[in-house]
Amino acid sequence: AGHDAGLVATVLTQAKLRARAKGKFGEFADRMFFTEDGLEQSSRLQVSALHAGRFRDAGIKQVADLGCGIGSESIALAAIDLEVIAVELDEVTAACAAYNLAPFENARVENTDVTAIDLNEFEAQFFDPARRELGTGREKATRKFDPTQFSPNFDWVLEQARKRPTGIKVGPGHPHEAIPEDAEAQWVSVNGDLVELTLWFGSLARAGVARSALLLANGQRFELQSSDPQPAHAELREIGDYVFEPDNAVVRSHLIGVLASELSLGLIAPEIAYLTGDTPVTSPWLRSFKVLETMAFDRKKVKARLQELGIGVLEIKKRGSDVVPEVLRKELQLKGERAATLIITRVGDSHRALICEAL
């Protein structure tokens, strides 16, 4: 139709990003602008709403969203009538945030470096340090797992967090040793997908909660808590009639011991995040499997046994093993009609194969 090729490419990119953003923003995505990296690092709207609620419940009226990206946190804050100052260093991303926040008179966007402004004028703050470093050319962005390489620097962010009520969003793989003892650390899972770790300081941190795991599933909320920054480990026990796979928020928060104690379960091995017991357990935190057989992991023997059982549809799971499920699946050459789950894991000094039925 004679449109400029650059404009067409930009429109197509936004159409693609809006379609992808529906998983995070629902119908709101159709009225937003995105950058590739901004969408990748943005919070889901339901998680941002929980963040905003924590500020409101603490009686806070004004929040600085520092490193606001495309504005997902700011939208949630502004939607419950808090005054929002959204700060973003990247010019294009800041422009997207300004467009996305345009419906809210109580929000404004500043395109500047958060380290160059006076933070003392703000009542509270929310940091989302850049945890990705863009490559050159067509290289994909690579995640930064070293907190000292965050932008802004993580030590500087922590220094600011101790001056006023603060939330800091970091990746769920953030090392435990880099979590300050004066913070409440909460790992968040959405329908089994571990999405973030948030650190809360000052009045935003709940009394008596050092570590927590939050699961949002099918419109419901479930939470595990510990007042101890280093929660107790679960007890070890022999593999029973049932094996349970905990949600990753439980694994990453080191709250497996809390969950195991509540449900009277035990770990199958140290450092292996599978729980076991002799009776079925129903919990939103667990995927459950009935153990049909357990044997030493030997590829030929496992293949023969699966064929004897008529297994043709097989889910392969592994922990503590270097097995590549895709490669093993080809080796097994299964053709039966039954379905099963094969769990390959380390118990003591040996690898075990558990042939299971998923419940």
Side-chain angles (χ1 to χ4, degrees):
H3 296 292
D4 176 74
L7 176 61
V8 171
T10 301
V11 170
L12 289 174
T13 296
Q14 283 305 311
K16 177 189 70 174
L17 292 174
R18 282 179 171 181
R20 195 191 306 167
K22 284 186 181 296
K24 287 188 173 183
F25 297 94
E27 61 184 22
F28 294 99
D30 292 331
R31 300 190 295 274
M32 297 174 67
F33 280 162
F34 302 95
T35 66
E36 191 96 30
D37 202 43
L39 174 58
E40 175 72 21
Q41 195 166 330
S42 64
S43 297
R44 287 163 171 77
L45 198 56
Q46 65 190 119
V47 178
S48 296
L50 288 175
H51 296 164
R54 196 179 275 241
F55 283 97
R56 179 190 57 198
D57 294 345
I60 289 166
K61 305 296 184 184
Q62 180 213 53
V63 182
D65 184 6
L66 304 170
C68 70
I70 52 93
S72 57
E73 300 289 346
S74 292
I75 291 172
L77 292 163
I80 57 173
D81 297 326
L82 301 185
E83 180 188 351
V84 182
I85 301 89
V87 182
E88 172 57 44
L89 178 60
D90 181 74
E91 184 177 6
V92 174
T93 307
C96 290
Y99 180 88
N100 296 335
L101 287 165
F104 300 100
E105 294 183 357
N106 53 321
R108 74 174 193 269
V109 177
E110 295 185 10
N111 176 208
T112 188
D113 186 341
V114 300
T115 64
I117 59 180
D118 182 9
L119 301 182
N120 291 318
E121 63 181 89
F122 305 129
E123 181 184 1
Q125 58 201 10
F126 187 87
F127 281 100
D128 187 359
R131 300 181 300 281
R132 295 166 63 83
E133 189 170 54
L134 293 176
T136 57
R138 294 184 177 271
E139 291 179 17
K140 290 185 177 180
T142 55
R143 291 195 178 276
K144 296 179 178 178
F145 289 102
D146 180 0
T148 63
Q149 298 301 310
F150 286 7
S151 178
N153 180 277
F154 192 61
D155 288 338
W156 180 85
V157 172
L158 290 180
E159 182 183 340
Q160 306 310 311
R162 294 188 171 99
K163 297 178 180 179
R164 59 196 67 83
T166 299
I168 305 173
K169 174 187 168 184
V170 293
H174 191 83
H176 277 252
E177 58 270 21
I179 299 174
E181 290 193 2
D182 56 339
E184 176 195 337
Q186 183 178 70
W187 285 259
V188 181
S189 173
V190 179
N191 294 321
D193 182 15
L194 181 59
V195 296
E196 70 174 48
L197 162 62
T198 316
L199 308 179
W200 298 102
F201 294 80
S203 61
L204 296 172
R206 294 173 293 179
V209 181
R211 301 288 181 266
S212 65
L214 178 66
L215 171 62
L216 307 177
N218 303 317
Q220 294 181 284
R221 293 174 56 181
F222 307 92
E223 188 173 21
L224 291 174
Q225 297 179 357
S226 172
S227 59
D228 190 341
Q230 297 180 323
H233 297 289
E235 294 183 359
L236 298 177
R237 58 161 295 170
E238 296 291 326
I239 295 174
D241 294 333
Y242 296 87
V243 167
F244 307 95
E245 181 182 38
D247 184 274
N248 277 332
V250 180
V251 178
R252 280 303 309 166
S253 62
H254 295 179
L255 292 173
I256 283 187
V258 174
L259 182 63
S261 177
E262 286 185 4
L263 301 176
S264 300
L265 301 174
L267 276 178
I268 66 171
E271 311 302 328
I272 300 295
Y274 283 123
L275 294 170
T276 189
D278 290 324
T279 56
V281 172
T282 300
S283 168
W285 294 106
L286 299 175
R287 276 198 70 196
S288 303
F289 303 88
K290 181 175 176 58
V291 179
L292 304 178
E293 294 189 25
T294 176
M295 58 195 296
F297 178 59
D298 178 285
R299 292 170 189 265
K300 290 183 179 179
K301 291 181 179 179
V302 169
K303 176 180 178 179
R305 187 58 184 140
L306 289 172
Q307 290 177 344
E308 289 174 5
L309 293 170
I311 305 299
V313 179
L314 187 69
E315 176 188 31
I316 301 176
K317 305 183 76 64
K318 58 138 188 178
R319 276 187 176 157
S321 168
D322 59 1
V323 168
V324 180
E326 294 79 10
V327 174
L328 179 60
R329 190 185 308 280
K330 292 179 180 178
E331 294 177 2
L332 295 175
Q333 299 176 328
L334 301 176
K335 299 177 181 177
E337 296 183 357
R338 294 179 62 191
T341 297
L342 178 65
I343 297 176
I344 304 165
T345 188
R346 177 175 288 279
V347 179
D349 294 328
S350 64
H351 283 90
R352 304 291 293 173
L354 283 59
I355 302 173
C356 303
E357 174 190 354
L359 303 180

